[in-house]
Amino acid sequence: MTCLGRILTKNLKAGLLAGAALLALAACGDTDQSASPASGVALWPVTHSPVKDSAEVSAQIEALIARMSLEEKVGQIMQAEIQYITPAEAKAYHIGSILNGGGSLPNRDRHATPTDWLKMADDFYDASLDVSDGGVAIPIIWGSDAVHGHNNVVGATIFPHNIALGAARDPDLIRRIGEATAQEVRVTGIDWTFAPTLAVARNDRWGRTYESYSENPDVVWAYAAAMVEGLQGVPGTPEFLDANHVVATAKHFLGDGGTEEGDDQGDAKLSEQELVTIHGAGYGPAINAGVQSVMASFSSWNGVKMHGNHYLLTDVLKDRMGFDGLVVGDWNGHGQLPGCTNASCAASINAGVDLIMVPQDWKQMYENTLAQAQAGEIPLDRLDDAVRRILRVKERAGLFEKGKPSERGIAGKDGIIGSAGHRAIAREAVRKSLVLLKNKGHVLPINPTSTILVAGDGADNIGKQSGGWSVTWQGTGNSNADFPGGTSIYKGISDAVSAAGGKAVLSADGSFDARPDVAVVVFGENPYAEGQGDVDTLEFEPGNKKSLAVLKALHDAGIPTVSVFLSGRPLWVNPELNASDAFVAAWLPGTEGEGVADVLVADTDGNARHDFHGRLSFSWPKLPKQDVLNVGEPGYDPLFAFGYGLSYDGTDEGPADLPEDVPGVLSGDVQQIALYAGRPMAPWHIMIGDSQTAQILSGAQAVLTTGTVSIHTTDKDIQEDALLVRFEAPGSVFMEGGTPLDLSGYLAANGLLSFDIRVDALPEGGMDMTLGCGNGCERRIPMSDHLKTLDGQGWQRLAVRLSCLADDGDTFNAVPVPFRLESKGKGAIAIANIRVEQVGSDTMRCPAH
């Protein structure tokens, strides 16, 4: 089928707007129609970026390369994280780029102002242009994950995540979101965003499903160019990469949404045809819209890691598809290649990664790469090609002419970050993305003169409704105060009904004194990002139906009950649907909770102020294990099909009496309590302490120190899924902050406290494990002898029976501090995956008390 025919038929099937079809037509590239090979570069489209350099500009770039020393070239292909490099070091090593990871902020201040961001940006810029050492002046470029607004900045407009935007089916809205995001990023002096994500998520267990617009490649195809042009501006116009726009990144190339079992950074076992037509769908339009960077995926394709896949990065992306911008790696993604480490990987550079994202180990990576280039292991022409691509993007972004970041256009200007205009776009996006799954008896829209009970743990929780990548990387550790200018869903409903004489009453647990006319219960997934969000089942709250209990209590009392479900993926919620009169999939709507009220609450005449517009961009499961459920595939049998969505003017009320006892439902017996799984599991906190103080490691902090104890995130299996703790003197690392745990059942079952540990430097004087079991109750066992066997052995699992910690008569039925390690002197350990388990084998025997 020709590109035109494919677009016309598939856009009709996807229910896209006419504007999206026209947009997609612009994405047509030339393909070899003379044959239909099963594999090979001929399967891939030949795309045509409209961004071209003049002969004069090309000559200037070549002249720069000719003047650069080998050391400068190697430095130019390094990207370090702002917490681990100083401007002076960037100058000394000729570093080409910096980034701030999710939640990484200037001065480690979560409330850093635009002035703080600009000061840091200027300092790095000035250092990069300092040629007092006789080097070549090349401006540094700063990249940031502005994935749903400028989400690292307190007070920024946080837009709905991509899964919600996919339900809106509105490319023009996507373009406007890109424009608004670019402006807010520019205020802080940043040049480049690592967005948009063009993944086509095909297994909903994946923790990054919410970063995907849809399971259907046509939705991604229709949105790719819109977001790229919103962020960068339209090539050939004066706005292209001007002071109001930023460099965009198409990511993650390629197949990140197709990994087996939805495993983040896993293996996409697919034919090349599937890779082209499904997972490659967004890249042609993005390149044709002039995207200037592409990020390599952590994942593999048929066993070959993308960071080392020369065929796809070079033969396909650069040669066949004609992409002439830069390919950037992901966070230490090169270190996952066979024979590579985070600090050394010629293979990734040779495969086609131009800019190596090496957040912490950049100095060693520089030295090793320099030695590899000197030895010819990295050919000089490959190094020059990488540098050429980086300089080309910097030149197109105007970095050689625009001056300091603080002097560029709207940098530092008040009234742009979190502006009323940008929040209005976000509010519109919330309205358009809501999907109505059920409306029994047309309980919606709600009469604004009613008394409305607003319940659920998400009702007045802007952090929960915003999800991951919101102020902090995981979206955890936030309060409403971290979203100034934002509105919770409760506040949006309250404002809407108060204006009409009604009343909204907030009650997280659903209790009430005066009987309400209707209840709105806001609940769903807690925030997560990346692999920390991978799940084993699509059952919502498996084994612990606390939200369902709130719903049932209200529903059984005869109160009309409306569910507003917050999630980053479709989940099996049959019991919750049955306990609801109306059910709304609100996804992760961001900071503008009024958008929910705009649709749920009627006007004073009882008419809908806004109808439901959203249609499912992901199929909704009928069973908890129905994780691979994609429209058009054999055996397709969803509860709600792709494109489903009710509206006020229809007669369909949605399903009733759905089966709840279905295969795959987990029992009520919880076999494991996760305390730390890539992040502290809410409501628990990681803390460090010494003899003088104790401090909480918030999600916005990459590093925390008391002066004698320091802690920062590090990598075990995936990005920042572990914690490195250094002791300069006696101190501790521990977890507290949640409701005291009832571990009596675990103690009775001879359960365990387990965690992964790496002993980097054996603590001087030894280390103890303690458990706080209530007022005046602490149980302690020595670990020193066991740690000696682990010293220098890399990551090991440590599991000890709870009975080893218990004294006679202990029940452990109210444990406020379930985990603490106390060092008696200087040392260093890394820890991960802290949990309490009912069953399992121990690795550490009970020491003598």
Side-chain angles (χ1 to χ4, degrees):
M1 182 181 292
T2 66
C3 181
L4 174 63
R6 181 173 184 265
I7 290 169
L8 291 177
T9 57
K10 289 201 170 185
N11 278 287
L12 286 172
K13 182 181 74 175
L16 297 174
L17 302 177
L22 293 174
L23 186 153
L25 286 173
C28 283
D30 299 327
T31 56
D32 184 357
Q33 300 293 331
S34 61
S36 299
S39 63
V41 294
L43 282 173
W44 298 85
V46 177
T47 54
H48 303 286
S49 173
V51 183
K52 305 295 181 184
D53 297 326
S54 66
E56 179 183 4
V57 168
S58 296
Q60 290 171 349
I61 291 173
E62 294 304 318
L64 275 176
I65 294 173
R67 291 172 53 204
M68 294 172 69
S69 67
L70 187 63
E71 290 80 2
E72 287 174 308
K73 291 176 181 179
V74 170
Q76 195 63 206
I77 70 170
M78 300 289 149
Q79 184 180 59
E81 214 279 340
I82 61 171
Q83 304 300 336
Y84 304 101
I85 190 170
T86 66
E89 289 173 324
K91 172 186 179 298
Y93 288 86
H94 322 289
I95 298 301
S97 179
I98 55 173
L99 79 148
N100 65 291
S104 177
L105 310 165
N107 308 314
R108 299 173 186 150
D109 178 7
R110 71 187 301 145
H111 296 284
T113 66
T115 300
D116 297 325
W117 289 86
L118 288 168
K119 172 66 166 58
M120 178 172 277
D122 280 354
D123 288 347
F124 276 103
Y125 174 85
D126 289 342
S128 69
L129 294 190
D130 184 346
V131 294
S132 59
D133 60 357
V136 180
I138 299 175
I140 201 165
I141 187 169
W142 184 339
S144 186
D145 285 286
V147 297
H148 64 140
H150 198 8
N151 42 259
N152 285 294
V153 176
V154 168
T157 308
I158 306 296
F159 295 92
H161 268 298
N162 287 356
I163 191 170
L165 299 181
R169 304 291 208 282
D170 189 340
D172 177 67
L173 174 64
I174 301 305
R175 187 187 310 275
R176 288 184 283 129
I177 289 172
E179 291 170 348
T181 299
Q183 289 177 16
E184 298 202 13
V185 171
R186 273 300 187 190
V187 170
T188 58
I190 294 174
D191 315 290
W192 179 16
T193 177
F194 303 136
T197 297
L198 300 180
V200 182
R202 305 287 280 182
N203 187 312
D204 298 338
R205 288 166 51 194
W206 187 34
R208 304 190 81 155
T209 296
Y210 66 76
E211 295 186 54
S212 173
Y213 293 119
S214 179
E215 70 189 37
N216 189 321
D218 293 332
V219 178
V220 178
W221 188 339
Y223 275 10
M227 182 57 83
V228 168
E229 291 183 351
L231 290 166
Q232 293 190 162
V234 178
T237 70
E239 70 174 11
F240 181 68
L241 289 177
D242 65 5
N244 293 329
H245 292 85
V246 296
V247 174
T249 307
K251 69 179 189 183
H252 307 84
F253 193 85
L254 188 62
D256 50 342
T259 60
E260 193 170 45
E261 298 184 350
D263 178 20
D264 189 50
Q265 306 184 19
D267 192 5
K269 297 180 179 180
L270 307 165
S271 70
E272 190 166 356
Q273 184 67 59
E274 290 175 289
L275 203 64
V276 175
T277 58
I278 296 174
H279 300 282
Y283 288 89
I287 294 171
N288 285 340
V291 72
Q292 290 298 292
S293 69
V294 169
M295 182 178 286
S297 178
F298 278 121
S299 59
S300 304
W301 177 47
N302 292 331
V304 179
K305 280 287 182 181
M306 279 304 308
H307 275 70
N309 196 316
H310 184 280
Y311 172 70
L312 288 176
L313 293 178
T314 298
D315 298 346
V316 169
L317 178 64
K318 294 180 177 180
D319 295 343
R320 172 69 173 181
M321 299 181 74
F323 174 67
D324 70 352
L326 69 87
V327 174
V328 62
D330 208 338
W331 187 285
N332 285 333
H334 57 277
Q336 298 183 9
L337 299 189
C340 288
T341 68
N342 290 350
S344 179
C345 195
S348 189
I349 298 167
N350 288 337
V353 175
D354 303 307
L355 185 61
I356 300 290
M357 187 184 291
V358 53
Q360 301 175 28
D361 301 311
W362 61 269
K363 195 174 293 185
Q364 299 95 316
M365 184 73 180
Y366 170 91
E367 298 291 354
N368 288 326
T369 303
L370 179 60
Q372 290 157 352
Q374 290 169 334
E377 188 176 347
I378 300 173
L380 182 59
D381 61 351
R382 170 65 197 117
L383 182 60
D384 283 351
D385 173 60
V387 173
R388 183 177 297 110
R389 289 169 177 275
I390 294 166
L391 298 185
R392 185 182 290 148
V393 172
K394 289 182 176 183
E395 189 282 329
R396 290 170 177 173
L399 300 190
F400 288 93
E401 295 85 27
K402 288 178 180 176
K404 291 185 178 184
S406 62
E407 297 171 352
R408 300 174 192 165
I410 58 177
K413 187 174 180 180
D414 292 334
I416 295 177
I417 291 180
S419 71
H422 292 170
R423 292 189 185 279
I425 297 171
R427 184 172 177 173
E428 175 189 350
V430 176
R431 287 197 301 266
K432 289 184 173 180
S433 64
L434 301 176
V435 180
L436 181 61
L437 302 181
K438 180 179 180 180
N439 194 17
K440 180 181 177 182
H442 294 278
V443 66
L444 292 176
I446 300 169
N447 187 323
T449 64
S450 303
T451 296
I452 305 173
L453 181 74
V454 187
D457 62 359
D460 194 31
N461 190 333
I462 301 176
K464 181 159 183 162
Q465 72 191 42
S466 297
W469 294 106
S470 300
V471 180
T472 66
W473 174 40
Q474 291 293 319
T476 56
N478 296 319
S479 69
N480 285 357
D482 294 311
F483 302 94
T487 305
S488 70
I489 293 172
Y490 158 71
K491 183 65 164 56
I493 292 172
S494 180
D495 289 347
V497 299
S498 295
K503 182 172 68 171
V505 178
L506 179 64
S507 172
D509 64 4
S511 61
F512 55 87
D513 295 324
R515 182 182 177 86
D517 298 310
V518 63
V520 176
V521 185
V522 187
F523 63 99
E525 291 187 291
N526 289 319
Y528 55 81
E530 302 194 28
Q532 284 80 342
D534 287 2
V535 294
D536 296 326
T537 175
L538 294 184
E539 181 182 356
F540 175 61
E541 294 184 341
N544 180 24
K545 301 289 188 182
K546 59 181 182 179
S547 299
L548 180 61
V550 175
L551 286 171
K552 280 188 170 181
L554 294 166
H555 194 257
D556 292 348
I559 298 169
T561 304
V562 178
S563 286
V564 176
F565 189 55
L566 305 173
S567 72
R569 57 189 134 214
L571 290 168
W572 185 79
V573 288
N574 281 18
E576 290 80 7
L577 278 160
N578 286 339
S580 306
D581 294 288
F583 197 100
V584 178
W587 311 112
L588 299 170
T591 53
E592 308 313 301
E594 311 103 314
V596 175
D598 287 344
V599 183
L600 266 60
V601 179
D603 62 20
T604 53
D605 294 325
N607 299 317
R609 294 184 295 160
H610 296 273
D611 202 349
F612 281 91
H613 176 93
R615 300 294 180 263
L616 290 180
S617 59
F618 283 84
S619 305
W620 202 278
K622 184 180 286 186
L623 300 169
K625 295 294 186 178
Q626 218 171 4
D627 47 4
V628 179
L629 183 65
N630 301 302
V631 64
E633 291 196 338
Y636 181 67
D637 185 26
L639 178 63
F640 302 115
F642 173 87
Y644 176 91
L646 305 178
S647 60
Y648 286 142
D649 58 7
T651 58
D652 189 355
E653 296 186 351
D657 299 325
L658 292 168
E660 299 182 15
D661 185 12
V662 299
V665 174
L666 297 183
S667 71
D669 295 329
V670 179
Q671 299 290 312
Q672 181 182 141
I673 300 173
L675 299 172
Y676 187 93
R679 67 194 193 282
M681 305 307 290
W684 298 95
H685 300 295
I686 286 284
M687 302 187 69
I688 56 174
D690 55 28
S691 61
Q692 302 297 319
T693 185
Q695 296 186 33
I696 296 175
L697 181 72
S698 77
Q701 293 170 297
V703 180
L704 178 67
T705 182
T706 66
T708 58
V709 184
S710 66
I711 187 170
H712 67 76
T713 55
T714 189
D715 302 346
K716 179 183 178 287
D717 300 316
I718 57 176
Q719 176 184 341
E720 295 189 288
D721 62 341
L723 298 166
L724 178 61
V725 190
R726 298 185 187 277
F727 302 95
E728 298 299 327
S732 63
V733 55
F734 57 102
M735 298 198 73
E736 67 175 35
T739 301
L741 289 173
D742 181 359
L743 299 182
S744 57
Y746 289 80
L747 179 61
N750 203 23
L752 309 106
L753 175 62
S754 74
F755 54 97
D756 297 330
I757 187 168
R758 189 187 70 208
V759 180
D760 294 342
L762 200 64
E764 296 175 0
M767 175 172 277
D768 290 348
M769 177 190 302
T770 73
L771 181 146
C773 40
N775 291 333
C777 176
E778 181 182 85
R779 299 293 177 255
R780 175 185 303 268
I781 56 174
M783 300 172 60
S784 302
D785 289 344
H786 188 73
L787 291 187
K788 289 176 184 177
T789 69
L790 305 182
D791 188 16
Q793 299 301 307
W795 283 102
Q796 301 290 328
R797 177 176 176 267
L798 193 156
V800 62
R801 299 287 177 192
L802 288 172
S803 57
C804 295
L805 287 152
D807 285 351
D808 291 342
D810 284 344
T811 62
F812 290 170
N813 63 347
V815 176
V817 184
F819 174 83
R820 182 193 296 264
L821 300 180
E822 292 187 1
S823 178
K824 297 177 181 179
K826 187 174 181 178
I829 61 169
I831 54 176
N833 299 322
I834 305 167
R835 50 200 179 267
V836 183
E837 303 171 313
Q838 275 200 359
V839 295
S841 58
D842 59 359
T843 64
M844 174 178 157
R845 299 299 181 185
C846 296
H849 284 265

